[in-house]
Amino acid sequence: MNILQRNFFRLLRSGALNEYESLEPMSLYKWQQLAKLIERQGVAEIAVKGLRNHTFDESANFPKTMIDDLQAHAATSEKKDLPRLSNRLLNRRLRKIQKGERHQIDASMPTLDLLNIIVRNISLILNNGISLSAISELGSYLRTRGDKVDFVKLDGWLEKLHIKRLAQLEGSILISVFEFDQDEIPFVEKVEPEAYPLILRTLEHTATDTTEEWHFRQRKTGFVVNNSKVMRRNLRRSIRYINYAPIETSSNFLNNFAKSLSEIEE
């Protein structure tokens, strides 16, 4: 991990988890590159909090305008839809959990909130690649509300939804680059070795992974053409995560494929 990436994750840990570790001095060019990386990753709001925490850090020689510039790019808070899974059967199970938990004698809404965060991360991972903003949300929730979570119940839900290993990957990312201890994340039985390489890949490829995606388009002549580059990228992403959640990963790919076909103008 290079100096730019180290400072990137220090800012995220500071902004999302209130953890302080001195930033390393960098050239103006590298600070500008870091700002671009922050914007591409959609974590400007978190990074701004981190920069403000480092205002009096003598080694943090970031440009004085960096906070204002990133603040202008910070995404506005939007209402988040109820997380869903692509596989119909698994999504029905998820909806049953989401709707029924509040009526249970041993209801645990913090546990349900954590499940929703995990599922939201899964949707982002399979459709766009790892979202460091959503992973940061997971880490923040574990640190602030983890003591309220019934991890035995959560483990049962993850098993029932066949997403236990993808959840474990999310937790492994927190351990690999956000410096969580494994015992802070009970649903991580084993740290996934690919977590760290996948994060480094995310930092390098986000701009490509989040471009507008389409599989098929109809030309004015009436012929239907496919975007082979996007198809290959989505197929590679599905192959990358197929072993973590075979049912959900394959369902997600097929659903996106079918959606692209249905959107062809007739």
Side-chain angles (χ1 to χ4, degrees):
M1 189 178 292
N2 59 40
I3 185 173
L4 191 150
Q5 293 166 341
R6 290 197 297 272
N7 277 342
F8 174 76
F9 284 112
R10 286 171 184 173
L11 284 178
L12 293 194
R13 290 200 299 272
S14 178
L17 307 174
N18 289 316
E19 292 185 352
Y20 181 87
E21 183 179 359
S22 293
L23 299 174
E24 298 179 57
M26 298 194 300
S27 65
L28 176 60
Y29 173 77
K30 286 189 175 180
W31 283 114
Q32 291 170 339
Q33 293 302 111
L34 177 56
K36 291 179 181 178
L37 176 61
I38 289 168
E39 292 169 11
R40 287 201 307 270
Q41 292 294 329
V43 291
E45 188 172 354
I46 298 172
V48 166
K49 292 179 182 178
L51 285 168
R52 286 175 175 159
N53 288 343
H54 287 271
T55 301
F56 300 105
D57 184 348
E58 293 182 358
S59 63
N61 62 331
F62 56 86
K64 302 303 180 184
T65 59
M66 189 171 177
I67 292 179
D68 292 336
D69 292 342
L70 286 177
Q71 187 67 62
H73 286 86
T76 57
S77 298
E78 296 180 357
K79 183 179 179 181
K80 296 176 181 176
D81 295 330
L82 194 63
R84 68 181 308 279
L85 293 171
S86 295
N87 182 269
R88 291 185 179 182
L89 174 60
L90 298 185
N91 194 56
R92 282 199 295 270
R93 292 180 184 178
L94 175 61
R95 286 288 182 262
K96 187 175 181 180
I97 293 170
Q98 292 168 330
K99 294 178 180 179
E101 179 60 17
R102 67 182 70 254
H103 303 298
Q104 300 298 316
I105 295 176
D106 62 342
S108 174
M109 300 316 291
T111 307
L112 181 59
D113 289 340
L114 182 56
L115 175 66
N116 284 333
I117 293 172
I118 289 172
V119 173
R120 187 176 296 114
N121 265 283
I122 287 173
S123 178
L124 289 167
I125 287 171
L126 296 183
N127 288 291
N128 303 100
I130 296 170
S131 165
L132 286 169
S133 177
I135 290 291
S136 297
E137 180 187 10
L138 174 62
S140 178
Y141 195 88
L142 284 168
R143 282 283 170 83
T144 58
R145 300 282 289 168
D147 60 327
K148 308 295 183 185
V149 172
D150 182 341
F151 284 101
V152 174
K153 176 177 285 192
L154 177 69
D155 190 68
W157 289 344
L158 296 176
E159 286 277 10
K160 190 174 183 179
L161 297 172
H162 296 276
I163 55 173
K164 187 171 181 178
R165 196 174 172 204
L166 256 182
Q168 182 167 264
L169 176 63
E170 295 174 24
S172 297
I173 292 171
L174 291 175
I175 294 168
S176 299
V177 295
F178 285 86
E179 300 185 356
F180 272 65
D181 293 326
Q182 188 171 346
D183 58 11
E184 292 183 86
I185 317 175
F187 56 85
V188 175
E189 297 177 358
K190 174 188 175 183
V191 177
E192 295 288 350
E194 286 300 307
Y196 186 73
L198 283 171
I199 277 296
L200 293 185
R201 184 189 182 284
T202 294
L203 297 183
E204 296 170 359
H205 295 277
T206 297
T208 299
D209 283 350
T210 56
T211 53
E212 181 183 359
E213 298 192 357
W214 58 273
H215 295 94
F216 300 95
R217 263 182 198 165
Q218 186 175 38
R219 290 179 172 171
K220 293 180 180 180
T221 58
F223 289 103
V224 175
V225 295
N226 76 307
N227 187 332
S228 59
K229 184 177 181 180
V230 168
M231 285 283 288
R232 288 195 301 271
R233 185 166 70 243
N234 287 347
L235 182 59
R236 285 196 300 268
R237 187 186 300 128
S238 296
I239 293 172
R240 189 177 306 128
Y241 296 109
I242 192 72
N243 289 331
Y244 294 96
I247 298 175
E248 178 61 15
T249 301
S250 56
S251 295
N252 184 79
F253 179 79
L254 292 174
N255 283 359
N256 286 340
F257 187 84
K259 182 181 178 182
S260 295
L261 283 174
S262 68
E263 290 176 352
I264 298 175
E265 294 182 6
E266 297 182 357

